[in-house]
Structure formats: structure tokens, C-alpha cells
Amino acid sequence: MDHTPGSYLLLAMVNRIQRNVQYKDLPDWDREGIVLSDHTPLKRGILFSRITPHLQADETILVAVSGGSDSMALLLLSLPPEQHRERLIVGHIHHGTGEFADQATALVERVCGELNVRLIVEYIEIVPDRKKEVGFEAAARELRYAALERIAVQCNAGRLLSGHTQDDLAETFLINAMRGAGLSGLAGLKPERGKWRRPLLGRTHEELRQFLEAESYPFIDDPANEDEAYTRVAVRRQLGELIREQFGAGHWANIARAAQHLHVADQALEIEAVRLAKSVIRRRTPGWVSIDAGELGGYLSELVIRVLRRILSLVRGCSIEDIYLDRKDRRHLLDMVRKPKTGQTIRVEGIRITDRGELEFSAFSSDTLIQLNLPGECRLPDGSRVRVDTESVNPSEEAS
């Protein structure tokens, strides 16, 4: 087999990862073991017993319930024994979109009353400008997650559960593939993100509806789930149904499993990116980092970009999930690393990046003022220090 320079580079990177990452460090798709696999019987409370070992004694579980079949099934599967009902909280978001939203809220209120489960309802209103900018689905999702996280703080939730299913995982894979997504995008929905967990990613929408019917529990279908003007609905109704009919339901499930495999690969690369970021950082102060671009440049572009996203998040003091790099950003960053030119400067995500032999990332603008009390000492963004001492002088002696 002939090896191109690119394949040699890939083999070198794999060998390096194998040397530096212990097998115990490599992630499982479901580290906490709470995702319900397709051979796990669906029964009330099964998730409560799986999740509570990961909670502090005073923490609760927050379940996001819309009133649809997936989230209503999630509620029953998470239901604690009667003596522990106070540990389960239901969060419901009213989207302010008319009669359906009112009906969904009424249903969730009734079911929570029957189950003796505490319910917290938040009302949101989608801003027209934001809807125009990112679309209704994305705007609603942003507000919904923000509201649920406020509820989580209010009730001291150690875990937040959402009812995404295997179907959602397959749909997300196809949507992101059509958009030309990279590895992280193709991995799609993760079983965990911060305190969020998605325990139903191993089960189908149809299985959950059958579970609810067996339990004789109600749910409400969102009319928007029939509107093919929404990308996800179009993928579900056209591609999803076509794949099932032409190739069988097993092939649809295999798309979701492919996303699971990609998630594990994605996490393995993240582990290596963390190690490499620590290795290339030469100096660091709050809001400022200097790295060895020469050491970083020998790695595959995918890994280089992951390291640079971590550096940017470190300098900005934010989560890595808040750092978004478009194609232009990625190209400019790779050029800075691999085509060094002393003095060149670019800005990415509000961070100034300058080549001064080392690659410097600074959140400070050129006119940033640094206070220095006299006498005293201050630290400059690059880590160096300036100290000024004062000395009393007799004016007459100075004149002579």
C-alpha cells in the first residue's frame, strides 16, 4: 500500500495518541450508563435508579417535559418511588404560540398533579429579530434551554434530562451531513453535556409511544411536527421513511449507531487536544496566552483547530462551546500556525492573535489601561512585571 504524506501524518498522530492516552481515559459513548439500550425493558422509574448514584444527597433531577410522547415517556421512566417524589422536578416551557401551547401546558399540569410531582412552568416569547436571524426552531431552542437552566438552578438539579430519541440522533446526523459538518457535527446529539443527559438516545419514538399506550398515559402531538417547512420534519418524513421502506428499520438505527461511534472518536480527539494544548502553552496570564506554533503545526488540521479553540476559550474566559469558527476563521488560524510571519495579526472571536516568534492570543485591546499605583507593581498581559519605586528628594539638594 502506498502512503501519501497525509497518511503518514495520520499514522503518526494515531501512534502519538496511543502513547499518550491510556485506555482507561478513552470515553464510552454513555459513561454513566443511563442511556436505555434497545434490549432494556421500559418500565416506570428505571431511570431514577440509574441517575441517583450520580447525585449529591440534596440534588434533584429536572425533567424537561413538553407534553409530547417522548418527554411524557421520559417522565414516567424517571419517576421515583412515592417516598422520593420530591427529588423529581418537571420543567415545562410555554412558548406563547397559541392554543396548542395552552393545551400542552394544561396536560402537563394535570399529569404532574396525578403523579404528585412538582412542576415549574416558564413562559417565553420569541423575539422576531432573533427568529428572522436563526429561524423559529433555533430561536425557540435557545430560549427553552436558557429557561430550563434557570429552573435547574432554582431547584438545585444535579441532572437535567431531555427526551431526545434514537430517531433524533439519526435525523441530526443526516442534517449535519448535508451541511458539510465535521466530526463533532456528525457525532450529533451527545448523551451528556454539562449536567444535561439524554437517556432515550437508544430508543425509538415508536417504542416510547407504545410504552405510553401500555401505561395508558396521555400525550399531545405538536402540529409543527407535521410541517415539512421545518428541515427536521422534512428529513424525518422524506428521508427517514424512505430509508425504512427501502432498506428496513435496522438501517435507520445504524445511522444513529454510526453517530455514536463518531462521538467516541470525537471525544478521543478532545482528550488529545487537552494534552496538546497544555504542551504548547508557553506563557499564560488572565486574558493572555502565548503558544509554540511550531510544535502545534505538525499535527493534523482537525487537531490543530481543536487546540486553538481551547486556547481562544481560555483567553476569553468562556466555555469552548461558545467558540464558533467558520471556514474563514479556520483557514486564517491554520495559516498563522503553519505559515509564520513575524508581526502579522488577525482577530478571531474578539481575540487579537499576533506572531511574535511565539503566537500570542490577547483579549486586551491596544488602548487597554493598566493601573499602576505608585509605588507599586503591576503585571502586564504577557506575564512580565513593571515595578516603580519612589524616593523622596530635597528640592534644594536637587538644584545644587
Side-chain angles (χ1 to χ4, degrees), residues 253-286:
N254 283 341
I255 295 174
R257 293 191 182 96
Q260 294 176 18
H261 295 317
L262 289 171
H263 171 69
V264 175
D266 180 57
Q267 291 300 100
L269 277 175
E270 280 300 303
I271 291 173
E272 176 65 1
V274 171
R275 184 204 67 79
L276 184 54
K278 292 177 181 178
S279 174
V280 300
I281 290 177
R282 292 296 174 260
R283 292 174 293 163
R284 171 187 171 187
T285 60

Side-chain angles (χ1 to χ4, degrees), residues 28 35 103 203:
D28 291 322
V35 175
Q103 292 173 348
R203 307 308 292 255

Side-chain angles (χ1 to χ4, degrees), residues 58-353:
D58 61 341
E59 289 182 328
T60 63
I61 300 170
L62 176 64
V63 182
V65 178
S66 66
S69 57
D70 299 337
S71 65
M72 293 295 272
L74 178 64
L75 171 56
L76 286 188
L77 293 167
S78 306
L79 193 66
E82 189 67 44
Q83 66 271 26
H84 296 300
R85 289 289 162 90
E86 76 283 352
R87 297 202 71 182
L88 188 71
I89 312 295
V90 168
H92 175 75
I93 309 304
H94 187 294
H95 288 81
T97 51
E99 184 179 356
F100 168 75
D102 293 335
Q103 292 173 348
T105 300
L107 174 62
V108 175
E109 288 175 339
R110 177 167 67 83
V111 169
C112 287
E114 293 173 356
L115 295 175
N116 191 28
V117 172
R118 181 185 174 192
L119 168 66
I120 300 176
V121 179
E122 277 223 17
Y123 292 79
I124 62 175
E125 184 176 349
I126 299 171
V127 179
D129 287 346
R130 187 58 177 162
K131 176 182 175 181
K132 184 177 180 180
E133 182 181 353
V134 300
F136 176 83
E137 290 176 287
R141 183 169 55 250
E142 291 173 352
L143 292 175
R144 184 166 60 248
Y145 273 93
L148 288 166
E149 288 179 1
R150 287 195 298 271
I151 295 174
V153 173
Q154 179 182 340
C155 64
N156 192 34
R159 291 291 183 271
L160 295 78
L161 309 185
S162 68
H164 294 92
T165 67
Q166 184 182 86
D167 299 287
D168 294 309
L169 185 57
E171 290 161 10
T172 302
F173 175 92
L174 291 173
I175 291 169
N176 288 346
M178 290 189 294
R179 292 171 176 167
L183 181 58
S184 295
L186 292 175
L189 300 170
K190 279 67 171 178
E192 60 180 66
R193 179 177 61 84
K195 291 184 178 181
W196 281 97
R197 298 294 181 271
R198 294 178 172 125
L200 303 183
L201 287 179
R203 307 308 292 255
T204 67
H205 176 71
E206 185 58 33
E207 289 172 334
L208 297 175
R209 290 177 80 96
Q210 291 174 3
F211 167 68
L212 285 177
E213 290 168 1
E215 292 282 338
S216 299
Y217 248 84
F219 56 87
I220 186 170
D221 287 321
D222 187 346
N225 288 332
E226 303 298 318
D227 187 353
E228 294 188 14
Y230 296 115
T231 302
R232 183 171 294 276
V233 178
V235 168
R236 179 185 308 138
R237 293 174 63 87
Q238 296 184 29
L239 290 180
E241 291 179 9
L242 176 65
I243 290 171
R244 290 187 182 92
E245 291 173 3
Q246 294 292 321
F247 306 105
H251 288 78
W252 180 251
N254 283 341
I255 295 174
R257 293 191 182 96
Q260 294 176 18
H261 295 317
L262 289 171
H263 171 69
V264 175
D266 180 57
Q267 291 300 100
L269 277 175
E270 280 300 303
I271 291 173
E272 176 65 1
V274 171
R275 184 204 67 79
L276 184 54
K278 292 177 181 178
S279 174
V280 300
I281 290 177
R282 292 296 174 260
R283 292 174 293 163
R284 171 187 171 187
T285 60
W288 188 92
V289 170
S290 176
I291 70 169
D292 183 345
E295 179 181 346
L296 181 61
Y299 289 83
L300 286 178
S301 298
E302 175 70 20
L303 193 52
V304 172
I305 292 298
R306 288 170 184 260
V307 170
L308 294 177
R309 283 187 70 214
R310 291 194 166 274
I311 301 298
L312 289 167
S313 70
L314 186 65
V315 174
R316 269 184 51 181
C318 66
S319 166
I320 191 171
E321 294 175 353
D322 295 327
I323 300 295
Y324 173 75
L325 302 177
D326 60 24
R327 292 181 182 178
K328 182 179 178 181
D329 291 332
R330 290 168 179 257
R331 185 174 68 253
H332 288 167
L333 284 168
L334 289 172
D335 285 345
M336 289 289 285
V337 169
R338 292 176 172 163
K339 300 176 182 178
K341 184 179 179 182
T342 303
Q344 66 176 329
T345 298
I346 63 172
R347 280 191 174 274
V348 175
E349 286 285 288
I351 302 300
R352 189 176 74 253
I353 306 168

Side-chain angles (χ1 to χ4, degrees), residues 67 279 364 390:
S279 174
F364 300 96
T390 61

